[in-house]
């Protein structure tokens, strides 16, 4: 039995906004599953229906075999939810936050006290347990959010953008926590993200959501394998015309999707190893010395581009609350080093 | 049973929030005292018109307790609005918590804070020379009337918060409601001295019901049982209204 089963999910809000246009995916027991997509793609709406906060217009969702529409209370007992922004009580201490959350799940007494202690320790919040959360850092609040989602020992944890707004270090800590929960705790984790790197690094399987639909689904490697070939990256020595180099790449047979960013040109190659020596020779012959060459397997950036027809950063910036502002397509970086 | 426990736990949360905002606490105690000192100075000579009994403070004290109940709980919806905007309400709703407990705990909290506030106000009034004529019964009348009015107002305020979803709109609606409710009651002016039309309006004004109960009890007179029943009905009505508004809010998500 799948941990979460979503069939043909549709959601139309009052006013006629179609947020979901028929989403189907399933999350297997014990895996980390990612919903990847730009802001406004429908990730949060999907998650809110799964955790019973919103209801579907059409379609069916089962959590651990329980239909969310038929028995929402049972679903709430089996699932833990961590929402997009921190929801800690600012005027309560870390311990009080956890305690109340446990009480609302019907836990009490020594069992709850022990569970709270356990979670404070697990999320490295012991020393701050007696402080009001107003004094916590962003990373600490986020860890407390996750701890609160776990207080009732759910089988399934659902996190909506758990790392948005965190500094890189806190993000890495969060990834480690989630990986540990899945591996050691045997938990099933559903996570939404708009970071490709995060989806790539963290998820066993993922689905790319765009415009209320799932446009691709599989393991990160499967998705990348749908793109044939390699990504080739050449850096032109400073002081030489990189745009001329990009033009040369565009006219080279066997290369496609050429993008220039500063002195670096990248392209998709059918046979990277085959084309690189010829490419370097051609560039040198044209008086464009190469200072650095790299070749890599495609990253999820390229997958995203190929399935949605738009660059990820651009789609994200166009979404409701893109924090980065509009980014020209040419600025999009192929991330050969991502994995 | 789960409902009662849920209300209790959420009520404890509300109290924790109240007690950890010391400035709010001080203001909610100092403000009514200021009103009482100010009004008793400003309108002190009004007793010469008769119909006010021996001293104006004696007349005013129960009225101030009711006014503070109204204002103190009128903005109760602000906390709910904050919790909705910050996602705290969603976090609670994702647990198996009894849905209505989220509202009932807030209304109960308003009743309780108003009760405590009334005690302090009566204490200060006694220092200023007011005398509860029926001892403990006098206190009970004022506290019960204030708590019921406060609870109803908290219900209305929470309902407004859910329906408007905007602080500015909520404030506008509530300010527009609360001030006339005060001045169209016998809070600062004896009923016998009011123009007939205001006397008529008073009959339908829950604030006046509360003032009449509180003052009657304070003076050791009748408790006006039917008014008490009407006031309890008003509290229940707005408590239910807030709960229904909250259910509607959840269904639109």
């Amino acid at each position: 039995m799948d941990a979460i089963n979503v069939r043909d999910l549709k959601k139309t809000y009052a006013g006629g906004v179609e947020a979901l246009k028929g989403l189907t995916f399933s999350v297997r027991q014990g895996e980390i599953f990612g919903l990847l997509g730009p802001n406004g793609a429908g990730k949060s709406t999907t998650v809110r229906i799964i955790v019973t906060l919103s209801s579907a217009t059409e379609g069916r969702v089962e959590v651990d075999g329980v239909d969310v529409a038929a028995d929402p209370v049972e679903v709430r007992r089996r699932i833990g939810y961590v929402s997009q922004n921190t929801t800690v009580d600012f005027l309560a201490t870390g311990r009080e936050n956890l305690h109340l959350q446990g009480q609302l799940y019907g836990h009490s007494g020594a069992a709850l006290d022990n569970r709270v202690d356990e979670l404070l320790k697990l999320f490295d919040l012991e020393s701050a347990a007696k402080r009001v959360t107003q004094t916590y850092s962003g990373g600490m609040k986020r860890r407390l959010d996750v701890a609160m989602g776990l207080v009732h020992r759910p089988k399934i944890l659902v996190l909506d953008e758990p790392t948005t707004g965190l500094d890189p270090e806190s993000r890495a800590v969060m990834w480690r926590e989630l990986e540990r929960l899945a591996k050691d705790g045997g938990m099933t984790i559903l996570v939404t993200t708009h970071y490709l790197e995060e989806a790539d690094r963290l998820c066993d399987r993922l689905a790319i959501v765009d415009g209320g639909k799932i446009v691709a689904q599989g393991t990160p490697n499967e998705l990348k394998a749908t793109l044939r070939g390699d990504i080739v990256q050449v850096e032109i020595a400073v002081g030489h015309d990189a745009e001329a180099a990009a033009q040369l790449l565009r006219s080279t047979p066997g290369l496609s999707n050429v993008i220039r960013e500063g002195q670096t040109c990248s392209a998709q190659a059918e046979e990277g190893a085959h084309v690189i020596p010829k490419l370097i020779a051609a560039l040198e012959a044209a008086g464009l010395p190469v200072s650095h060459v790299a070749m890599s397997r495609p990253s999820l950036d390229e997958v995203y581009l190929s399935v949605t027809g738009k660059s990820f950063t651009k789609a994200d910036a166009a979404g409701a609350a893109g924090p980065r502002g509009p980014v020209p397509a040419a600025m999009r970086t192929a991330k050969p080093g991502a994995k | 049973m789960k409902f009662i426990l849920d209300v209790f736990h959420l009520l404890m949360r509300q109290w924790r929030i109240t007690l950890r905002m010391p400035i709010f606490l001080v203001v909610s105690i100092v403000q009514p005292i200021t009103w009482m000192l100010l009004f008793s100075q400003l309108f002190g000579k009004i007793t010469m018109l008769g119909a006010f009994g021996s001293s104006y403070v004696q007349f005013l004290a129960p009225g101030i307790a009711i006014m503070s109940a109204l204002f103190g709980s009128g903005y109760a919806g602000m906390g709910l609005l904050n919790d909705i905007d910050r996602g705290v309400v969603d976090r609670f709703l994702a647990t198996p918590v009894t849905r209505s407990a989220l509202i009932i705990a807030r209304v109960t909290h308003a009743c309780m804070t108003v009760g405590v506030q009334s005690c302090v106000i009566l204490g200060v009034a006694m220092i200023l020379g007011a005398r509860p004529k029926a001892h403990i019964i006098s206190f009970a009348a004022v506290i019960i009337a204030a708590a019921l009015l406060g609870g109803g107002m908290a219900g209305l305020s929470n309902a407004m918060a859910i329906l408007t979803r905007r602080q500015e709109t909520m404030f506008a609606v509530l300010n527009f409601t609360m001030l006339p409710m005060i001045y169209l009651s016998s809070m600062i002016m004896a009923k016998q001295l009011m123009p007939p039309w205001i006397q008529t309006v008073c009959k339908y004004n829950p604030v006046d019901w509360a003032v009449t109960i509180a003052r009657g009890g304070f003076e050791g007179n009748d408790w006006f049982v039917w008014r008490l029943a009407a006031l309890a009905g008003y509290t229940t009505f707005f408590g239910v209204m807030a709960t229904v508004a909250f259910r509607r809010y959840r269904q639109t998500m």
Side-chain angles (χ1 to χ4, degrees):
Chain A
M1 184 181 59
D2 290 325
I4 300 175
N5 203 321
V6 176
R7 285 280 159 266
D8 210 24
L9 191 63
K10 290 182 187 164
K11 174 75 181 181
T12 309
Y13 283 106
V17 180
E18 257 187 289
L20 305 178
K21 297 170 185 165
L23 241 82
T24 299
F25 66 91
S26 55
V27 181
R28 295 173 197 149
Q29 306 273 3
E31 73 176 350
I32 302 184
F33 188 94
L35 282 177
L36 172 69
N39 290 323
K43 298 175 306 226
S44 289
T45 306
T46 309
V47 161
R48 291 178 61 84
I49 293 172
I50 293 172
V51 302
T52 78
L53 285 178
S54 181
S55 55
T57 312
E58 260 182 73
R60 185 180 168 86
V61 177
E62 280 179 358
V63 173
D64 201 26
V66 182
D67 189 315
V68 294
D71 194 355
V73 175
E74 188 52 39
V75 170
R76 287 173 198 135
R77 285 198 190 101
R78 296 184 190 200
I79 208 164
Y81 170 55
V82 179
S83 69
Q84 200 163 348
N85 300 307
T86 183
T87 59
V88 299
D89 250 336
F90 287 146
L91 290 169
T93 66
R95 183 181 295 277
E96 288 164 343
N97 265 291
L98 282 165
H99 214 261
L100 174 61
Q101 190 73 4
Q103 286 170 330
L104 296 182
Y105 279 101
H107 300 287
S108 61
L112 177 58
D113 290 341
N114 291 338
R115 179 63 180 159
V116 168
D117 286 337
E118 196 178 290
L119 286 166
L120 286 167
K121 196 172 175 188
L122 190 67
F123 285 90
D124 199 21
L125 292 166
E126 272 174 309
S127 56
K130 288 181 181 162
R131 267 168 38 205
V132 287
T133 59
Q134 241 167 0
T135 64
Y136 282 23
S137 70
M140 290 165 81
K141 282 180 198 153
R142 218 62 190 112
R143 294 208 299 278
L144 181 58
D145 280 324
V146 178
M148 282 198 281
L150 292 170
V151 77
H152 58 300
R153 300 179 195 276
K155 292 169 79 174
I156 302 161
L157 184 64
V158 176
L159 305 101
D160 200 358
E161 309 252 0
T163 61
T164 301
L166 291 188
D167 57 84
E169 197 186 328
S170 306
R171 185 172 301 162
V173 170
M174 184 63 74
W175 288 347
R176 274 203 301 278
E177 298 292 355
L178 296 181
E179 275 165 353
R180 193 174 60 188
L181 286 169
K183 289 211 177 62
D184 306 346
M187 283 190 75
T188 306
I189 297 179
L190 171 66
V191 59
T192 75
T193 178
H194 66 266
Y195 296 118
L196 290 164
E197 189 199 351
E198 180 163 279
D200 200 357
R201 147 90 208 261
L202 191 64
C203 300
D204 297 314
R205 289 193 312 132
L206 58 98
I208 298 179
V209 189
D210 188 55
K213 278 183 175 162
I214 290 192
V215 288
Q217 192 167 178
T219 67
N221 282 330
E222 277 167 10
L223 289 174
K224 284 184 253 177
T226 59
L227 287 181
R228 294 189 305 127
D230 310 291
I231 300 298
V232 170
Q233 206 176 36
V234 291
E235 195 182 315
I236 307 299
V238 181
H240 295 271
D241 187 359
E243 188 51 41
Q247 290 301 336
L248 194 144
L249 260 67
R250 284 190 188 105
S251 58
T252 306
L255 289 182
S256 56
N257 288 334
V258 179
I259 291 159
R260 183 180 72 86
E261 188 192 0
Q263 288 299 107
T264 307
C265 301
S266 53
Q268 211 171 309
E270 283 164 30
E271 288 272 3
H274 196 67
V275 82
I276 283 176
K278 291 178 193 166
L279 185 62
I280 295 171
L283 286 166
E284 298 281 352
L288 298 165
V290 174
S291 60
H292 184 79
V293 181
M295 187 181 88
S296 60
R297 298 283 300 137
S299 73
L300 281 176
D301 277 285
E302 281 79 28
V303 175
Y304 188 85
L305 177 67
S306 74
V307 294
T308 66
K310 56 195 165 193
S311 101
F312 186 81
T313 17
K314 201 178 176 190
D316 194 33
R324 278 164 276 186
V327 179
M331 290 290 283
R332 191 181 64 90
T333 325
K335 280 191 203 120
K339 196 169 196 175
Chain B
M1 187 58 196
K2 172 91 167 85
F3 170 75
I4 293 169
L5 277 176
D6 285 342
V7 170
F8 176 75
H9 294 135
L10 290 166
L11 187 60
M12 289 299 111
R13 169 180 185 258
Q14 292 299 323
W15 270 110
R16 188 166 63 213
I17 292 172
T18 308
L19 295 175
R20 289 196 184 153
M21 293 193 294
I23 294 176
F24 173 83
L25 264 184
V26 169
V27 168
S28 58
I29 296 298
V30 169
Q31 202 179 35
I33 296 169
T34 314
W35 286 129
M36 193 148 56
L37 290 170
L38 184 69
F39 284 0
S40 60
Q41 293 292 303
L42 183 64
F43 301 126
K45 290 276 188 302
I46 213 170
T47 45
M48 292 161 120
L49 294 170
F52 287 96
S54 49
S55 89
Y56 190 55
V57 173
Q58 178 82 16
F59 178 83
L60 193 61
I64 293 288
I66 297 304
M67 184 174 88
S68 304
L70 193 70
F71 282 128
S73 43
Y75 299 106
M78 214 166 67
L80 177 62
L81 209 51
N82 259 328
D83 279 351
I84 288 178
D85 290 343
R86 288 202 42 243
V88 176
V89 168
D90 279 349
R91 168 161 65 86
F92 289 156
L93 287 175
T95 75
V97 70
T98 322
R99 318 279 101 173
S100 55
L102 291 173
I103 297 296
I104 301 305
R106 285 171 188 277
V107 173
T108 313
H109 174 251
C111 291
M112 289 170 77
T113 45
V114 159
V116 173
Q117 210 181 19
S118 304
C119 290
V120 176
I121 292 168
L122 290 183
V124 174
M126 285 172 72
I127 294 169
L128 292 176
R131 287 291 166 265
K133 298 282 169 58
H135 309 288
I136 196 80
I137 305 258
S138 292
F139 272 88
V142 176
I143 291 164
I144 290 172
L148 285 176
L149 186 78
M153 199 60 207
L156 177 64
S157 177
N158 278 303
M160 283 300 134
I162 297 162
L163 295 175
T164 63
R165 294 293 305 279
R166 282 181 58 114
Q167 239 173 52
E168 294 82 358
T169 323
M170 187 188 112
F171 279 3
V173 173
L174 289 170
N175 282 334
F176 181 75
T177 324
M178 287 195 296
L179 279 178
M181 280 174 90
I182 296 266
Y183 291 112
L184 294 173
S185 80
S186 53
M187 195 200 94
I188 46 177
M189 179 54 90
K191 214 171 275 178
Q192 300 93 302
L193 300 174
M194 290 175 180
W197 74 270
I198 296 184
Q199 290 193 25
T200 311
V201 174
C202 273
K203 280 187 192 155
Y204 305 98
N205 181 358
V207 173
D208 190 66
W209 306 342
V211 170
T212 310
I213 296 163
R215 190 167 289 142
F218 199 67
E219 294 292 350
N221 301 332
D222 196 344
W223 265 50
F224 303 100
V225 174
W226 68 267
R227 278 207 182 81
L228 199 61
L231 193 61
Y234 147 90
T235 312
T236 313
F237 176 79
F238 283 115
V240 170
M241 181 176 156
T243 312
V244 170
F246 188 58
R247 180 179 302 160
R248 234 202 68 194
Y249 157 77
R250 286 190 288 112
Q251 282 164 351
T252 58
M253 287 198 299

